[in-house]
Amino acid sequence: MANDLLFGIQTNGIKHADADPMPDVRTRFRMVKEAGVFDYVDKTPDPDQVEDFKAGSAETGLPIRAGGWFYELGGDEGLLERNVKLGAELGSLVHNTQIKLRHADGHVVTDDEVMAAYLDAAELGDRYGCVPCFEVHVNMWSEDFPRVATVARMVEARGVEFNMTLDHSHVIFKIDNPHEQKIFGTDAKVASGELVLNPFRPGNVIEEWVTSGWVKHCHARAAIPNNPKNTLAHHPDGSVGRGIQYPFKRPKPGEYHAEWDETLLEPWKEGIRILMRHHASDRKAKLGQISTEFIPNPDYGGGCTYSLFEQAIACVGWMRETWAEIRAGA
């Protein structure tokens, strides 16, 4: 059925503490299978791991339904084509596509350039059968959130469907976050009413993207308003992680560097509910899957001692229950 919804996991999150070694590919597939809650894995593997991914998928019966990578315009167009082609070879239906903020020559990419890149990517999707979905993500063009709707409508005006990946943790962590809202003048846009971040308020940006019918893929990584910075991990320049990940279930004592309060997850959960409510009643229903993405990078869970994998399992458990309730009500 078009309104079915599958739940998977991005393979960088198939490990426990950050300091633990990453299990080999086939072990990760077995871990996912044994967890019993995931329908697929999400990954565009490195070339030297492709055969291991194929073998892991065959051994466990878990498809590689999605993948993704990040790209610099003016330099990585060939890489995008190779990855979309590889995704199709692996059986992926969607390719999560991050477009960096700056062009290869250094300038900030324009809306026209992103639109042109999207149109080219859409042609690749038609050619190979794996659909590129442009993601909302920090450090990318789409961190300036109003630009997403601008580009989407430019694409639609040319008769092409716009497909995006929703990762609303990048929205949620900016709520009530003065430092993060200085980026792209988000604070002024919020103050003027041009941009509504809070998913409980009418006209919020998550709802705009969802109800416009743009979301084809979703990454689920919990975050809270004014999410604590990740002081456990640093970037090469010495800055601490921006803090775009919050444990979904209560961590054990000493496993998280800040206080944990389950009630603070409600805005993030509401973003998932908005997506699911729309999907349950959407006649066109193009969303097919949601991938958990609790990951160890500095801006996320770098340095963590809680289990990334256990957080993903708990998150999927809640999403399955929530989807069943929403679908029954619809």
Side-chain angles (χ1 to χ4, degrees), residues 42 65-68 87 92-96 129-133 216-217 289:
D42 182 328
R65 186 180 171 95
S92 297
L93 302 181
V94 293
H95 182 73
N96 181 56
C130 177
V131 178
C133 299
K216 189 175 180 66
H217 186 41
Q289 63 286 311

Side-chain angles (χ1 to χ4, degrees), residues 168 171-172 175 196-207 225 266-272 274 277:
H168 64 293
V171 175
I172 298 301
I175 298 172
V196 180
L197 300 176
N198 189 334
F200 289 107
R201 288 184 52 194
N204 68 82
V205 70
I206 297 170
E207 186 173 50
E266 279 304 310
W268 183 87
K269 289 181 177 180
E270 183 62 13
I272 290 290
I274 288 171
R277 286 194 293 262

Side-chain angles (χ1 to χ4, degrees), residues 283-296:
R283 293 179 182 178
K284 297 181 180 179
K286 71 180 184 181
L287 175 69
Q289 63 286 311
I290 298 177
S291 302
T292 60
E293 198 190 30
F294 290 84
I295 53 177

Side-chain angles (χ1 to χ4, degrees), residues 67-116:
W69 200 249
F70 49 89
Y71 303 95
E72 182 179 73
L73 298 189
D76 288 337
E77 286 75 9
L79 176 61
L80 175 60
E81 180 169 5
R82 288 193 296 275
N83 282 343
V84 170
K85 184 178 180 180
L86 173 60
E89 178 185 331
L90 294 171
S92 297
L93 302 181
V94 293
H95 182 73
N96 181 56
T97 306
Q98 299 176 25
I99 300 297
K100 292 183 179 181
L101 176 64
R102 294 191 178 274
H103 189 276
D105 67 12
H107 75 268
V108 172
V109 296
T110 67
D111 292 342
D112 283 332
E113 287 172 325
V114 176
M115 178 199 67

Side-chain angles (χ1 to χ4, degrees), residues 1-5 210-211 273-287 323 326-330:
M1 293 177 59
N3 294 76
D4 283 347
L5 195 56
V210 169
T211 58
R273 295 186 194 106
I274 288 171
L275 181 61
M276 288 182 173
R277 286 194 293 262
H278 177 77
H279 182 63
S281 60
D282 184 9
R283 293 179 182 178
K284 297 181 180 179
K286 71 180 184 181
L287 175 69
W323 173 236
I326 287 174
R327 195 174 191 184

Side-chain angles (χ1 to χ4, degrees), residues 6-325:
L6 300 181
F7 298 91
I9 182 169
Q10 210 281 340
T11 63
N12 291 349
I14 309 172
K15 64 179 294 185
H16 296 294
D18 180 25
D20 293 341
M22 180 66 79
D24 64 73
V25 171
R26 291 162 83 169
T27 298
R28 277 182 274 169
F29 270 90
R30 288 194 295 271
M31 288 170 65
V32 174
K33 183 69 172 180
E34 290 167 4
V37 298
F38 299 103
D39 299 305
Y40 68 93
V41 300
D42 182 328
K43 182 68 172 178
T44 297
D46 294 333
D48 62 351
Q49 292 186 321
V50 169
E51 294 307 314
D52 283 336
F53 269 82
K54 288 179 178 179
S57 178
E59 289 169 359
T60 59
L62 289 166
I64 307 166
R65 186 180 171 95
W69 200 249
F70 49 89
Y71 303 95
E72 182 179 73
L73 298 189
D76 288 337
E77 286 75 9
L79 176 61
L80 175 60
E81 180 169 5
R82 288 193 296 275
N83 282 343
V84 170
K85 184 178 180 180
L86 173 60
E89 178 185 331
L90 294 171
S92 297
L93 302 181
V94 293
H95 182 73
N96 181 56
T97 306
Q98 299 176 25
I99 300 297
K100 292 183 179 181
L101 176 64
R102 294 191 178 274
H103 189 276
D105 67 12
H107 75 268
V108 172
V109 296
T110 67
D111 292 342
D112 283 332
E113 287 172 325
V114 176
M115 178 199 67
Y118 182 89
L119 295 176
D120 289 342
E123 288 186 6
L124 294 176
D126 290 341
R127 185 184 312 161
Y128 295 113
C130 177
V131 178
C133 299
F134 278 28
E135 185 179 18
V136 174
H137 201 284
V138 298
N139 302 321
M140 307 292 155
W141 73 281
S142 51
E143 186 176 356
D144 189 357
F145 300 138
R147 294 186 68 187
V148 176
T150 298
V151 170
R153 293 187 178 110
M154 291 168 66
V155 168
E156 290 177 331
R158 284 151 180 82
V160 176
E161 180 181 23
F162 186 75
N163 294 302
M164 65 177 283
T165 299
L166 175 68
D167 183 343
H168 64 293
S169 66
H170 296 277
V171 175
I172 298 301
F173 94 114
K174 287 182 180 281
I175 298 172
D176 300 327
N177 191 328
H179 176 75
E180 283 291 338
Q181 287 195 20
K182 288 186 180 352
I183 300 171
F184 297 116
T186 298
D187 49 1
K189 293 167 185 171
V190 169
S192 70
E194 176 189 353
L195 176 63
V196 180
L197 300 176
N198 189 334
F200 289 107
R201 288 184 52 194
N204 68 82
V205 70
I206 297 170
E207 186 173 50
E208 177 188 20
W209 294 331
V210 169
T211 58
S212 294
W214 297 329
V215 179
K216 189 175 180 66
H217 186 41
C218 177
H219 280 178
R221 176 183 51 257
I224 64 172
N226 199 17
N227 203 96
K229 287 184 177 296
N230 185 18
T231 56
L232 302 179
H234 295 75
H235 292 286
D237 65 1
S239 61
V240 299
R242 293 174 72 175
I244 321 174
Q245 183 166 294
Y246 194 75
F248 186 83
K249 73 171 187 176
R250 182 179 296 278
K252 296 174 185 176
E255 284 189 338
Y256 186 57
H257 62 284
E259 293 185 13
W260 187 85
D261 182 349
E262 185 174 11
T263 64
L264 299 178
L265 287 165
E266 279 304 310
W268 183 87
K269 289 181 177 180
E270 183 62 13
I272 290 290
R273 295 186 194 106
I274 288 171
L275 181 61
M276 288 182 173
R277 286 194 293 262
H278 177 77
H279 182 63
S281 60
D282 184 9
R283 293 179 182 178
K284 297 181 180 179
K286 71 180 184 181
L287 175 69
Q289 63 286 311
I290 298 177
S291 302
T292 60
E293 198 190 30
F294 290 84
I295 53 177
N297 310 60
D299 285 336
Y300 309 104
C304 71
T305 56
Y306 60 82
S307 170
L308 297 164
F309 189 50
E310 290 177 4
Q311 294 295 331
I313 291 170
C315 184
V316 165
W318 175 82
M319 288 196 293
R320 285 191 179 279
E321 292 174 1
T322 302
W323 173 236
E325 292 169 2

